[in-house]
Amino acid sequence: MADIFLIVCLAFSFLLFTLPTVSKTCTISKMDPAQFAKIDFSYLIIGGGTAGLTLAARLAEDPALQIGVIEAGSFHSNDPIIDEPANIGVAIGNPMYDWAFKSVPQVGLNGLEMGIPRGKMLGGSSGLNFLAWNRASKPEYDAWATFACTPDWDWKGLLPYFKRSTTTMRDQINVFPGIPAGSEKAGSDHRLVGFGGPINSSYNEIYMDPVSPYVQTLNRLGIKTNANPDNGTTAGIVNTRLAIDRREGVRSYATQYYCRLAKHTNLHVLTGARANRISLSHSGLLATAERMVTASGVEFSANSRTYFAHAAREVILSAGSIQTPQILELSGIGNATLLKALNIHNHVDLPQVGENHQDHLFAGVQYELKPRVRTFDILRNNVTFAAEQAAKYNQNRTGFLAAVDSTLGFLPFQLYLNSTQIKSTLDRFDSVTRHTPKDSLEHVQHAIQRSWIRDGNVPQVEVILFTSGQFAPAPNTSYITILTGGLHPLARGSVHIKTKLPSEPPVIDPQYLTNNFDVSTILDALKVVLQLERLKPLSDIIQSRNIPAPQLHTDAELIQFIRNSSQTSSHPLGTAAMAPRELGGVVDSTLKVYGTTNLRVVDASIIPLHIGAHIQSTVYAIAEKAADMIKGIGC
Ligand SMILES: Cc1cc2nc3c(=O)[nH]c(=O)nc-3n(C[C@H](O)[C@H](O)[C@H](O)COP(=O)(O)OP(=O)(O)OC[C@H]3O[C@@H](n4cnc5c(N)ncnc54)[C@H](O)[C@@H]3O)c2cc1C
Ligand SMILES: *[C@@H]1O[C@H](CO)[C@@H](O)[C@H](O)[C@H]1NC(C)=O
Ligand SMILES: *[C@@H]1O[C@H](CO)[C@@H](O)[C@H](O)[C@H]1NC(C)=O
Ligand SMILES: *[C@@H]1O[C@H](CO)[C@@H](O)[C@H](O)[C@H]1NC(C)=O
Ligand SMILES: *[C@@H]1O[C@H](CO)[C@@H](O)[C@H](O)[C@H]1NC(C)=O
Ligand SMILES: *[C@@H]1O[C@H](CO)[C@@H](O)[C@H](O)[C@H]1NC(C)=O
Ligand SMILES: *[C@@H]1O[C@H](CO)[C@@H](O)[C@H](O)[C@H]1NC(C)=O
Ligand SMILES: *[C@@H]1O[C@H](CO)[C@@H](O)[C@H](O)[C@H]1NC(C)=O
Ligand SMILES: *[C@@H]1O[C@H](CO)[C@@H](O)[C@H](O)[C@H]1NC(C)=O
C-alpha cells in the first residue's frame, strides 16, 4: 500500500511537527570514507536497509568480527517525516529518502510508467513503508523448502526468526470496535509471536468510524474476522499489527537493530556511500567445470571519490530487490550475453539474475461518506481538529497522529467465487501457463500456485481499507478507499542494468497485467468490493461513489479502469531467487550466489515465490535466519 496514497500524504505535510525529545537518542558517529576503507572487515554488507542492518547487528554480536555496512542514504534520527505514523507516504518521491525509481512503460497499464519507491536511508524501505506488520500463511513458507531443497526453509524453520525480530506489545486486545471476535487475545501467543526483539509491533488504539460497518458488512458476506492470523492461517478480515512503538508513538524500523542491539565497537556503518561493484577473482586451480569466484571487497563512491573496502570472509548483498540484481550485474554476475554487450567481464553466467521479479498490484475504489462520518480526512479539512490532535500527540503520543489504517482482508477465491467460477479461474490459469517450459522455475511455481487456488488454503486476493480519500478532501467531507489486488500474480518481470555506470538506475519492467489471470483476479475482486456499497451496514454511511466513475459498468470498462489506475504496493521480490541453479536460481539454500565461494544475498530478492502478506516481517525473518547460518548456528 504505497503509491496510491502519495497525493493524500503530500497533503498531510502541513501536519509536520517536531517531536519532543525521545528518551534515548540514537546517533551514528560520522565516519570518514577513507577511514572506513582502512578497516579490516570480516563481513562487508552492501545496503543498511531492512535486511542489511538486521544482519549486521546480529553478526556484530560476535565481538571477534568486524562488520562493515555501506549505505547510500543517511540516518534520519528523530525525523518526524519518518517517525510519525501519520506521516506515512510523505517521504515518497523525496530524494532525501527515496530512490524514486520508475518502471519502463507498462503495456498492461496502457503504457503508463509505474513509480517504484525504495527507501534510501539507514533502515531502507522499512523507514519508508506503511507500517503494516503481518506474515503469510503456512503453505506459502512451506513452498520455499521445495525451492531451497532443504527442509529448514519452511514455516517451522522460519518461525523462530519471526519471533526473534519482534517485541509484540503485551496486554493489547485485538478487536475491531464493536465486533467481538471471541479470541481477542489469541494473537499474543508466545509460541507464535516474539517478546524480546528490536522491532516493536502493536495494534492501533483508535479506529476511524467506517471500520466497524465495513468489517460487519464483510462478515455478513461470510468473510470472517481472523483474530489470530499469525498462526499460519491468514484468510479473513484482519486487524493487522503495525510496526509502531506505542509508548513513543513512533515507527519502529530496522534502525532499532542498530540502536537497541549493537554495541557499535565492531559495527561500522558508513552512510552516504554508494556501492558500485564487488571485486571478484578466480580462486585457486579448482578442476571443476566452472571455476568459482571469490569476493574480496567492494568498490564504493562517497563525496565524489572512489574507495575500496576489503572483506576477509564474505561480501553480503542487501541492496533490495531492485539494486541487488543491479550490483550483481555491475560486478559481472548475470546473463553473459547482456554483460558482454555492455563490455563487462562475465565472472559467472547466471542468466536468471534480475529475472523472476514479482510484485503486488492494487486497484482502488473510493466513496464519499455521509456527513459527520469521521475518517483521517478530518486532519486535512479541519484545522482546529488537526491542531488538537497535534497537541495530544505532542503530550503523550496518542490520538490520530499515532494511528494508521490496519484493516486488511485476505481472501481465497472460494470466499467469493462458486465452483463454476473457480473452474474457469483454473482454466484461465492453465491457458496462461500452458506453454511454460517444463524445466523452468516458473513451471515449479505454477504447480504450487495452482494447488493453492484449487485447495483454497492460501489467500489469492487482498482487500485493504483506507479511511481517507486519495485527494485533498473538500470541507466537511470524508472518504474511504478500498484497494484490491492479487497476491499470487503470474506476471514475471525483470530488472537489468542498461549501462556500466552504477549511477544509472536499472531498467525495471514488472510486466504488470500482461496476462488474463492477473487481470481477472483484480476484476473479480473489484466486483466484490463494488457490491459492498449496496450492503448494510456499510451502505448506511456511503453517500456516493467517486472512483471508478459510476457510469463504468461493463467488464471491459472496469478492466480499462484497472489498467489506467492500478498502483504497486511496493512488494517487489524474487530477482535473486533461492532455487536450484538448473531451475534458474541465483542463490542456494545458504543464500550463497552460485559460482561464488563467499558472496551471499540477504534481502527480499531471494524469496522464490510471492507471498500473501506485506513482506517486511518476512524480510526481517530472512535476515535473522541468515545471521544464524553465517555464524554457523542452525543448518
Ligand atoms: C512505500 C512502501 C510501502 C510499503 N509498505 C509496507 C507495509 O506496510 N508493510 C510491509 O510489511 N511492507 C511494506 N513495504 C515493503 C517492505 O518495506 C520492503 O519489502 C522491505 O523493507 C525490503 O527490505 P530489503 O532489505 O529487501 O530492502 P531495503 O529495506 O529497501 O534495503 C535496501 C538498502 O540498500 C540501500 N542500497 C541500495 N543500493 C545501494 C548501493 N548501491 N549502495 C549502497 N546502498 C544501497 C538502500 O538505500 C536501502 O537502504 C513497503 C515498501 C515501500 C517502498
Ligand atoms: C519496544 O521494544 C523494546 C525492546 O526492544 C521494549 O523495551 C519496549 O518496551 C517496547 N515498547 C513497547 C511499547 O512495547
Ligand atoms: C490456526 O487457527 C485456526 C483457528 O483456530 C485453525 O483452524 C488453524 O488450523 C490454525 N492453523 C495452524 C497452521 O495452526
Ligand atoms: C540474456 O540476455 C539476452 C540479451 O538481452 C537475451 O536475449 C536473452 O534472452 C537472455 N537470456 C536469458 C536466459 O534470459
Ligand atoms: C472541527 O473540529 C473542532 C474541534 O474538534 C470541532 O469542534 C468542530 O465541530 C469541527 N468542525 C467541523 C466542521 O467538523
Ligand atoms: C493522553 O492525553 C489525552 C489528553 O490530551 C488524554 O485524554 C489521554 O487519556 C492521555 N492518554 C494517555 C495514554 O496518557
Ligand atoms: C456461479 O456464479 C455465476 C455468476 O454469478 C452464476 O451465473 C452461476 O449460475 C453460478 N453457478 C453455480 C453453480 O452456482
Ligand atoms: C461545514 O459544517 C459546519 C458545521 O456543520 C458548517 O457550519 C459549515 O458551514 C460547513 N461548511 C461547508 C463549506 O459546508
Ligand atoms: C483509460 O485511459 C485511456 C487512455 O490511455 C482512455 O482512453 C480511457 O478512456 C481510460 N478509461 C478508463 C475507464 O479510465
Side-chain angles (χ1 to χ4, degrees):
M1 29 181 179
D3 251 24
I4 203 160
F5 282 89
L6 179 52
I7 307 161
V8 174
C9 296
L10 291 179
F12 269 117
S13 311
F14 77 89
L15 286 170
L16 301 181
F17 305 98
T18 31
L19 297 178
T21 325
V22 206
S23 34
K24 295 171 294 263
T25 29
C26 170
T27 51
I28 186 167
S29 48
K30 202 88 204 125
M31 185 171 285
D32 172 43
Q35 219 54 44
F36 181 87
K38 284 196 194 118
I39 299 170
D40 197 8
F41 293 111
S42 329
Y43 295 93
L44 249 184
I45 298 171
I46 300 176
T50 316
L53 212 49
T54 299
L55 177 63
R58 287 300 183 195
L59 291 179
E61 287 176 340
D62 180 348
L65 302 174
Q66 294 297 321
I67 312 299
V69 176
I70 299 173
E71 167 56 45
S74 39
F75 184 14
H76 296 283
S77 188
N78 282 335
D79 180 347
I81 289 183
I82 299 303
D83 289 347
E84 192 179 309
N87 284 333
I88 54 167
V90 168
I92 292 177
N94 181 336
M96 297 253 297
Y97 307 90
D98 183 3
W99 290 89
F101 296 122
K102 262 191 162 40
S103 78
V104 294
Q106 294 295 286
V107 178
L109 306 182
N110 286 336
L112 296 170
E113 295 174 356
M114 180 68 72
I116 313 278
R118 294 277 88 198
K120 183 182 186 178
M121 64 184 104
L122 200 64
S125 297
S126 70
L128 194 64
N129 74 25
F130 279 38
L131 301 166
W133 184 262
N134 71 340
R135 61 178 73 147
S137 65
K138 182 174 182 295
E140 293 170 271
Y141 297 112
D142 287 347
W144 293 12
T146 310
F147 299 102
C149 303
T150 63
D152 59 310
W153 278 103
D154 63 357
W155 167 266
K156 200 162 154 277
L158 281 159
L159 187 56
Y161 300 109
F162 275 107
K163 292 169 62 178
R164 188 178 292 179
S165 65
T166 325
T167 294
T168 305
M169 193 167 175
R170 291 182 194 274
D171 304 322
Q172 259 190 318
I173 289 179
N174 168 19
V175 65
F176 287 115
I179 316 174
S183 50
E184 292 79 10
K185 290 216 163 182
S188 294
D189 186 339
H190 69 278
R191 286 167 300 187
L192 296 172
V193 296
F195 292 97
I199 306 297
N200 294 90
S201 81
S202 59
Y203 295 114
N204 269 323
E205 289 184 339
I206 55 168
Y207 296 85
M208 298 300 118
D209 292 349
V211 171
S212 185
Y214 170 81
V215 173
Q216 286 180 50
T217 303
L218 284 162
N219 288 165
R220 289 170 83 169
L221 276 180
I223 301 168
K224 296 199 178 82
T225 304
N226 182 346
N228 190 17
D230 292 325
N231 88 336
T233 304
T234 54
I237 304 299
V238 169
N239 175 29
T240 195
R241 283 202 180 86
L242 304 158
I244 293 176
D245 178 338
R246 278 288 149 215
R247 197 164 304 130
E248 309 284 350
V250 295
R251 173 191 298 269
S252 192
Y253 68 121
T255 54
Q256 299 291 22
Y257 270 87
Y258 180 82
C259 298
R260 287 185 168 150
L261 215 60
K263 292 190 188 66
H264 307 158
T265 48
N266 62 339
L267 173 54
H268 313 272
V269 176
L270 182 67
T271 54
R274 188 193 61 228
N276 297 329
R277 56 182 62 85
I278 300 157
S279 286
L280 300 167
S281 57
H282 287 280
S283 54
L285 306 156
L286 291 177
T288 48
E290 184 190 56
R291 288 194 303 159
M292 304 281 272
V293 292
T294 295
S296 57
V298 178
E299 181 205 294
F300 65 93
S301 297
N303 310 330
S304 325
R305 285 194 50 196
T306 301
Y307 303 86
F308 181 80
H310 176 76
R313 294 198 188 179
E314 294 188 10
V315 172
I316 297 154
L317 245 179
S318 299
S321 305
I322 305 300
Q323 285 140 301
T324 281
Q326 177 192 23
I327 296 166
L328 283 172
E329 290 181 346
L330 288 169
S331 310
I333 298 178
N335 177 336
T337 318
L338 176 106
L339 296 183
K340 188 156 185 261
L342 295 173
N343 204 15
I344 294 173
H345 178 74
N346 182 212
H347 284 288
V348 186
D349 184 11
L350 215 44
Q352 296 298 317
V353 168
E355 296 291 317
N356 191 49
H357 171 289
Q358 299 163 55
D359 193 15
H360 290 153
L361 187 78
F362 283 80
V365 175
Q366 179 179 300
Y367 296 99
E368 183 180 333
L369 304 176
K370 297 250 169 80
R372 287 177 296 282
V373 179
R374 186 168 283 186
T375 69
F376 284 110
D377 289 310
I378 192 172
L379 291 173
R380 296 186 290 169
N381 62 12
N382 184 334
V383 179
T384 320
F385 188 83
E388 277 174 11
Q389 290 300 320
K392 189 170 190 167
Y393 185 73
N394 286 339
Q395 187 190 340
N396 60 18
R397 306 310 189 91
T398 60
F400 274 50
L401 302 194
V404 296
D405 282 302
S406 64
T407 310
L408 309 180
F410 294 94
L411 319 183
F413 290 138
Q414 280 75 358
L415 279 178
Y416 60 93
L417 298 180
N418 66 31
S419 55
T420 317
Q421 292 167 309
I422 300 275
K423 177 153 189 326
S424 18
T425 301
L426 285 169
D427 289 347
R428 204 176 299 119
F429 185 96
D430 293 341
S431 73
V432 174
T433 59
R434 187 173 301 135
H435 300 295
T436 314
K438 291 251 177 314
D439 55 353
S440 66
L441 180 59
E442 274 187 272
H443 189 73
V444 181
Q445 292 171 337
H446 292 161
I448 294 169
Q449 287 179 258
R450 194 182 194 284
S451 74
W452 291 343
I453 297 170
R454 187 197 56 212
D455 299 345
N457 57 340
V458 170
Q460 295 294 329
V461 152
E462 180 176 355
V463 184
I464 304 173
L465 175 69
F466 274 99
T467 54
S468 60
Q470 299 178 47
F471 307 100
N476 296 353
T477 59
S478 63
Y479 302 85
I480 53 172
T481 306
I482 307 174
L483 304 185
T484 54
L487 295 170
H488 298 287
L490 283 173
R492 296 291 180 270
S494 64
V495 179
H496 291 294
I497 55 172
K498 59 171 184 276
T499 82
K500 284 177 85 151
L501 291 176
S503 55
E504 275 291 305
V507 176
I508 307 169
D509 181 6
Q511 292 279 313
Y512 294 122
L513 303 182
T514 46
N515 69 78
N516 282 335
F517 174 79
D518 292 357
V519 173
S520 297
T521 298
I522 301 198
L523 176 66
D524 291 343
L526 185 69
K527 289 195 213 162
V528 174
V529 170
L530 292 174
Q531 281 173 33
L532 299 177
E533 68 194 43
R534 290 189 297 274
L535 301 178
K536 273 178 182 298
L538 187 64
S539 58
D540 294 338
I541 63 164
I542 289 178
Q543 179 94 300
S544 60
R545 187 172 96 209
N546 333 89
I547 303 174
Q551 63 270 22
L552 301 181
H553 289 294
T554 65
D555 284 3
E557 288 165 344
L558 291 175
I559 288 171
Q560 284 312 308
F561 162 74
I562 291 167
R563 293 193 190 285
N564 284 357
S565 65
S566 287
Q567 294 292 336
T568 174
S569 68
S570 297
H571 300 159
L573 51 75
T575 49
M578 173 173 64
R581 185 171 184 177
E582 56 282 9
L583 264 188
V586 173
V587 301
D588 66 16
S589 64
T590 68
L591 307 185
K592 234 173 233 173
V593 177
Y594 288 112
T596 76
T597 59
N598 66 341
L599 172 60
R600 294 193 219 229
V601 174
V602 179
D603 61 28
S605 347
I606 68 106
I607 300 175
L609 180 59
H610 221 312
I611 55 174
H614 300 251
I615 65 176
Q616 64 171 335
S617 75
T618 301
V619 175
Y620 285 111
I622 290 169
E624 287 276 10
K625 184 169 166 60
D628 267 8
M629 288 193 310
I630 293 168
K631 288 169 165 175
I633 309 166
C635 62

